[in-house]
Amino acid sequence: EGALNLVEANQTEIERFREYWTSEIAGKPHKMPILGAKNLQWIPFRASPRELEFLASQEWYNNLVWMAFGLAPSEVGYVQDVNRSTAQEMTEAVWRKTTLPLLELLRNAINRFILPFLEQYWDVDGEVEFVWDPHNPVIDRQRRLEQENDLRHALTTPNRVLLARGEDPVAWGDMPLTLIDSLARLYPEWFAGEICGIENVPESIYGGSMLLSATDPITKTVAEMVKAGRRPDPNDEPDEWRSRIDALHRRVQGVFDDTLQNLRQVVESVFPQEVPDGDAESVVDIDSIVDQISIADRLIATTSAPRADAFVAGIDRERKLLEDALESRVGKGMYRVQITKEFDVTQTIAYKLLQQRAARNMRGVEDSIKDLVRNTLTRVVEDGGNVTDAWQALQRDVPEMTSAHARLVARTEILGAQRYGKQALGEEVEHILKGKVWRSRKIPGRTRPWHSVMDGVTVPVRESWTVPAGVAPNQPKDYPKQAYVVGEDQPYNCMCDQRLALADDLPASAQELRSMKYVSIEPLTKQAAILLDHALPHESLPNCLARLEKEMSRTQLAKHLGISKATLYEWLR
């Protein structure tokens, strides 16, 4: 179906071709015409399947049919894009949509058309039926893997998993697995006796009670910290970061205050207006109040901008310290040294680690606020209080403790962010450094002894410090610990700092140093400019001028250096 265009053919040639077509081609299938015309053009009337994207259209129609039957492409054998994950999903889908319906049809057929015709069926008055074992080992294994993954990420608890499997719960199973692991590791005696109910728990082989490890704020509740008189003291904080900590403290405290006010309605709905006769505890659902506290995401958003600003400020401060140290090497007051390395801070490893740590910390803050509210309301219930007592207790106890906690959060986020910023800078200019140095703020009674012993310890920029064990009786038992950034082992209330140390083999002259990558040197005086451009390394100005004077006249030398002859004579004097 088409037209044949014989370009440049005359009338005679066209007539001859017509006769040839009629006699040799027309009506003869699979006959190929052979033409001698110039510039022959074939213009088809019907587009080819390729032009119509025939296969693509058929694939689209196939997908449409599969969708109408509620099937995925992989379920009908279309496996071009199937990988290990989708193959597992396909296995489950085929079991659910194909195998189970067929088994159900067979079950119904056996129960309706076979069993009723058996004598034994009527011997028991029809009280028997045929059923399939619904368990699929592949599906069961996949569900177990999903449950284990949820346990590892604290998305469920052991008891929920046990109940889903039809098994009996355990005494300690209502806590997330990560919390169970932490408690069992840090307080094994208490965990074994109080949680697991084991009697006559043996003493620790480390000497003393394992509970001694709970004296640090990172492993204590805020209430315990306040009772112990260990409130965050602004006077302990570095002056250069105090204003940032103050600002973030107010913002975090605002989140805590809003959370408390939002609890009033649910407290009024749960607690009785008057104390009822009998056991009041049985009619108060404290968990329904605590479940209303969901502030981790809001805390992450609230602390995000101040944390990023502190991260950048840490980079800028450490960059300035490195530049000052380099200027001291080549001549303070003669040159301005700048580190010119520019980078996207949000793409650094240190920034990503900071974000992960902050998210983890804010989840912990939410849990501690929940514990604080739960403990306060539990005391009210035990004392037989009503809704007025509960609300007054929350207003009295929670703001006092959350203020200390808000300060602790602000301090941890700001000081931690600036340390991570210094780490990011170190990773970018690693070629001019010998490593990073742990600097302890030795505040009597407030600096951890195992952090004090780390003062001055230097490690390569991309390696971690090892904080030793056995430094003090109250040191947690999970040491030694690795810290990629200073204080990472116990960030709460940590006042230590991180510094970058220049390499010992860096050039000590401006001429050599300016050849270093990402280092820029700007002379501040005319003499410094001449030394930078014309002097040999470590050569003084008089020696440089004397050497150049041997090579050219003074007139030429003045022109060469870009100064007047009077200035040159004064310098040569």
Side-chain angles (χ1 to χ4, degrees):
E1 296 178 355
L4 193 65
N5 183 17
L6 301 179
V7 183
E8 299 182 2
N10 56 36
Q11 185 64 31
T12 303
E13 291 172 334
I14 293 175
E15 291 294 337
R16 247 163 52 220
F17 174 73
R18 224 181 243 135
E19 293 176 4
Y20 163 71
W21 185 273
T22 303
S23 61
E24 299 292 336
I25 304 300
K28 299 178 180 180
H30 313 300
K31 181 78 173 184
M32 177 182 291
I34 300 175
L35 307 178
K38 295 180 180 179
N39 298 325
L40 179 66
Q41 292 182 355
W42 168 251
I43 305 174
F45 289 164
R46 179 179 296 175
S48 67
R50 180 178 180 84
E51 292 170 331
L52 287 175
E53 297 184 354
F54 178 75
L55 294 179
S57 65
Q58 290 302 302
E59 183 178 338
W60 184 86
Y61 284 122
N62 287 342
N63 280 284
L64 188 62
V65 173
W66 301 335
M67 181 182 67
F69 283 92
L71 298 172
S74 59
E75 296 178 60
V76 294
Y78 196 77
V79 295
Q80 285 87 335
D81 298 325
V82 172
N83 53 33
R84 182 179 298 179
S85 176
T86 55
Q88 179 61 49
E89 294 179 1
M90 182 176 68
T91 300
E92 184 173 355
V94 170
W95 169 258
R96 177 170 45 88
K97 293 185 177 182
T98 304
T99 307
L100 284 181
L102 287 175
L103 293 178
E104 183 67 16
L105 289 174
L106 288 172
R107 185 185 72 84
N108 291 335
I110 292 173
N111 287 328
R112 294 177 59 188
F113 302 112
I114 295 179
L115 289 183
F117 296 94
L118 299 177
E119 182 178 350
Q120 293 84 350
Y121 179 81
W122 297 109
D123 288 343
V124 294
D125 297 327
E127 296 294 331
V128 64
E129 67 173 345
F130 180 86
V131 295
W132 297 101
D133 182 358
H135 296 292
N136 182 314
V138 176
I139 304 301
D140 291 344
R141 183 166 59 251
Q142 175 65 17
R143 288 174 180 170
R144 285 196 298 271
L145 291 175
E146 292 174 355
Q147 291 170 342
E148 292 172 5
N149 187 60
D150 288 344
L151 282 172
R152 285 195 302 270
H153 292 86
L155 300 177
T156 187
T157 62
N159 276 349
R160 290 179 182 176
V161 173
L162 290 172
L163 291 174
R165 296 179 180 179
E167 301 177 19
D168 295 332
V170 293
W172 46 267
D174 290 326
M175 295 182 288
L177 192 60
T178 52
L179 177 58
I180 295 172
D181 290 342
S182 178
L183 289 173
R185 185 177 65 254
L186 294 176
Y187 321 121
E189 300 168 13
W190 172 82
F191 186 86
E194 298 295 328
I195 302 299
C196 298
I198 299 176
E199 298 181 358
N200 301 320
V201 180
E203 293 293 328
S204 167
I205 62 174
Y206 298 99
S209 173
M210 282 284 191
L211 296 179
L212 290 175
S213 63
T215 57
D216 190 86
I218 197 172
T219 56
K220 296 178 68 175
T221 64
V222 178
E224 290 172 333
M225 185 185 69
V226 172
K227 290 179 181 178
R230 297 191 61 186
R231 299 173 183 275
D233 186 358
N235 293 325
D236 295 344
E237 298 157 358
D239 295 337
E240 63 269 25
W241 301 107
R242 191 170 301 157
S243 61
R244 294 175 184 268
I245 295 174
D246 289 340
L248 185 55
H249 176 196
R250 291 190 293 270
R251 297 178 67 173
V252 174
Q253 183 62 50
V255 175
F256 292 163
D257 292 343
D258 292 345
T259 302
L260 177 60
Q261 294 303 318
N262 292 337
L263 292 179
R264 180 160 191 169
Q265 184 175 357
V266 66
V267 169
E268 292 176 348
S269 65
V270 170
F271 271 83
Q273 296 294 328
E274 300 294 338
V275 180
D277 296 333
D279 186 8
E281 186 175 358
S282 61
V283 298
V284 177
D285 184 6
I286 295 179
D287 286 339
S288 65
I289 301 175
V290 175
D291 289 344
Q292 299 299 313
I293 301 175
S294 179
I295 60 174
D297 291 339
R298 186 178 174 189
L299 284 172
I300 293 173
T302 299
T303 59
S304 178
R307 184 168 51 248
D309 290 342
F311 184 90
V312 175
I315 293 176
D316 295 340
R317 287 178 179 273
E318 194 65 20
R319 188 196 300 264
K320 183 64 171 63
L321 292 173
L322 291 177
E323 291 171 348
D324 290 345
L326 290 172
E327 288 176 5
S328 299
R329 282 173 172 260
V330 299
K332 195 76 171 178
M334 293 183 61
Y335 303 99
R336 177 183 294 112
V337 181
Q338 291 182 308
I339 297 175
T340 59
K341 172 67 173 177
E342 299 294 338
F343 54 93
D344 184 354
V345 298
T346 62
Q347 298 303 312
T348 60
I349 296 176
Y351 186 82
K352 294 175 181 178
L353 289 175
L354 173 64
Q355 296 300 94
Q356 294 172 3
R357 183 188 67 85
R360 184 171 61 250
N361 286 350
M362 295 307 105
R363 303 293 176 192
V365 171
E366 178 182 297
D367 291 339
S368 65
I369 297 300
K370 287 183 176 180
D371 290 340
L372 176 58
V373 171
R374 180 182 284 107
N375 293 338
T376 299
L377 295 179
T378 299
R379 288 196 300 271
V380 173
V381 172
E382 291 174 350
D383 294 339
N386 58 16
V387 63
T388 303
D389 299 325
W391 184 242
Q392 289 178 349
L394 287 176
Q395 289 181 305
R396 179 184 66 249
D397 297 342
V398 174
E400 177 186 10
M401 296 182 184
T402 55
S403 177
H405 201 169
R407 188 79 190 185
L408 186 65
V409 171
R411 168 191 286 179
T412 301
E413 293 305 305
I414 295 299
L415 296 183
Q418 63 93 15
R419 291 193 290 258
Y420 275 87
K422 295 177 180 182
Q423 175 66 31
L425 177 63
E427 292 171 1
E428 296 295 328
V429 296
E430 188 176 6
H431 64 291
I432 65 172
L433 304 174
K434 69 176 179 181
K436 52 190 180 184
V437 187
W438 190 304
R439 295 296 186 195
S440 300
R441 280 175 63 91
K442 296 181 179 179
I443 304 173
R446 292 189 180 271
T447 300
R448 298 179 176 96
W450 45 96
H451 281 186
S452 294
V453 300
M454 294 299 297
D455 186 49
V457 177
T458 303
V459 297
V461 171
R462 296 182 186 271
E463 293 186 11
S464 299
W465 285 278
T466 299
V467 184
V471 178
N474 63 338
Q475 184 177 6
K477 300 302 180 181
D478 55 348
Y479 278 79
K481 275 187 178 182
Q482 299 292 309
Y484 187 65
V485 174
V486 161
E488 197 174 49
D489 59 314
Q490 280 186 304
Y492 288 101
N493 267 345
C494 180
M495 234 65 67
C496 300
D497 201 4
Q498 180 168 327
R499 292 292 310 278
L500 299 177
L502 293 171
D504 296 329
D505 58 352
L506 280 182
S509 68
Q511 295 86 347
E512 296 171 317
L513 189 61
R514 70 173 172 177
S515 65
M516 297 292 295
K517 189 178 181 181
Y518 303 130
V519 176
S520 170
I521 297 182
E522 177 186 353
L524 299 179
T525 64
K526 188 62 178 178
Q527 293 95 327
I530 290 175
L531 285 173
L532 185 62
D533 293 334
H534 303 284
L536 299 175
H538 308 291
E539 188 177 37
S540 65
L541 181 61
N543 292 340
C544 175
L545 295 177
R547 177 175 55 79
L548 294 175
E549 191 177 12
K550 295 178 182 179
E551 301 173 2
M552 62 191 76
S553 66
R554 292 189 174 183
T555 301
Q556 292 173 327
L557 180 57
K559 185 177 180 180
H560 178 67
L561 298 178
I563 59 176
S564 65
K565 290 180 64 176
T567 301
L568 176 61
Y569 281 113
E570 182 179 353
W571 289 357
L572 290 172
R573 206 180 291 169

